[in-house]
Amino acid sequence: METAEFVEILDREGRLLALAAEAAGTDTKVPTCPEWQVRDLLRHTGMVHRWAAAFIAERHTSWRPDRGLPDLDGTALLTWFREGHTHLVGTLRSAAPDLECWSFLPAPSPLAFWARRQAHETTVHRFDAQSAHGGTPDHIAPGYAADGIDELLRGFHARPKSRVRSDRPRILRVRATDLEDTVWTMRLSQEAPTAVRGEAGDADCEVAGPAARLYLSLWNRLPFPDVSGDPAIAALWRDKSAVTWS
């Protein structure tokens, strides 16, 4: 996918998130994030949007801390969220393709990284907001969902901080059933996981389903649609794979 496509998705997903949050109300519980209410979702995602935009706009070449969560609620919080989202989208659209700034996962360029990362960040939290509001969440395109799975398995969980570890070597297969040849093989051990595209070796456990459902399941928003083999490996993922801010 091209950087411009990710920015378009980010733009749409942020708008949908705000609409769902407004309809739900900021004191509504978020079922996909049980410790949060909608206000927490808005504060977190809005903070991340501003944090990301600062690296791009100010061209920081090393990590910088975020600027904290706002002491806002209700209409003021929604306005703050929308302003930050609009600023991030505009910053990405106006950035030079050869921009140099800090990023934390492999990507063709820092700009490509931030557009992709913020699109997926916002999509998952849009689903959270729509879950709080109720009804049927908006569709996630299979190809885009597969890209998000790839970012999660081969990006986030390739880092040393991944807690998905196993005392003995195990293989987890992830298969998108609605896309041809869209499979990942993840090797689990006492070290950080390693994931590759395709079928590599016999799997001890396979999780399978439509790409969009797998995407949300791997981000621990929904149960896995289908699990075969050793269910303890799927449970290990559920217990240890959360990507936290701190």
Side-chain angles (χ1 to χ4, degrees):
M1 294 179 63
E2 297 296 326
T3 296
E5 293 179 84
F6 285 118
V7 177
E8 288 302 315
I9 292 169
L10 167 63
D11 190 9
R12 182 183 69 246
E13 295 290 324
R15 293 174 188 271
L16 290 171
L17 192 164
L19 286 171
E22 187 171 33
T26 57
D27 61 349
T28 300
K29 293 283 189 182
V30 181
T32 48
C33 300
E35 296 181 0
W36 277 3
Q37 294 173 300
V38 169
R39 65 174 58 87
D40 302 303
L41 178 63
L42 288 170
R43 289 168 179 167
H44 167 78
T45 313
M47 173 273 291
V48 172
H49 285 171
R50 283 168 167 76
W51 177 75
F55 285 104
I56 303 159
E58 299 170 24
R59 298 178 178 241
H60 297 308
T61 56
S62 60
W63 178 86
R64 298 291 180 94
D66 65 82
R67 295 170 184 172
L69 302 176
D71 185 18
L72 298 172
D73 204 351
T75 301
L77 177 58
L78 280 157
T79 298
W80 176 85
F81 173 83
R82 286 181 165 120
E83 289 173 350
H85 169 250
T86 299
H87 174 61
L88 172 61
V89 170
T91 298
L92 285 164
R93 283 179 173 156
S94 63
D98 61 353
L99 166 76
E100 293 294 331
C101 69
W102 179 81
S103 58
F104 62 89
L105 295 178
S109 69
L111 184 61
F113 162 79
W114 283 112
R116 181 197 201 195
R117 175 79 293 275
Q118 290 309 299
H120 287 299
E121 174 85 10
T122 307
T123 298
V124 172
H125 288 317
R126 181 270 293 170
F127 181 81
D128 293 331
Q130 291 185 333
S131 297
H133 178 227
T136 302
D138 280 78
H139 174 72
I140 299 173
Y144 173 66
D147 179 83
I149 294 170
D150 198 75
E151 182 202 41
L152 181 62
L153 300 186
R154 299 205 298 156
F156 275 103
H157 286 286
R159 300 184 301 168
K161 64 173 61 178
S162 175
R163 298 184 303 116
V164 183
R165 309 290 176 103
S166 174
D167 290 338
R168 58 194 178 99
R170 309 290 275 163
I171 295 180
L172 172 65
R173 186 101 70 222
V174 176
R175 185 183 305 274
T177 55
D178 57 342
L179 293 171
E180 186 175 0
D181 298 326
T182 305
V183 182
W184 294 262
T185 299
M186 177 169 268
R187 297 184 180 275
L188 307 179
S189 68
Q190 295 182 28
E191 305 299 324
T194 59
V196 296
R197 292 294 295 264
E199 300 192 37
D202 296 329
D204 298 292
C205 175
E206 178 170 303
V207 295
R213 178 64 185 268
L214 276 180
Y215 173 66
L216 293 167
S217 299
L218 289 162
W219 275 106
N220 293 321
R221 265 50 186 190
L222 294 172
F224 286 118
D226 182 68
V227 178
S228 58
D230 186 353
I233 300 175
L236 172 68
W237 179 273
R238 181 73 65 191
D239 292 341
K240 300 294 185 182
S241 68
V243 176
T244 58
W245 183 251
S246 58

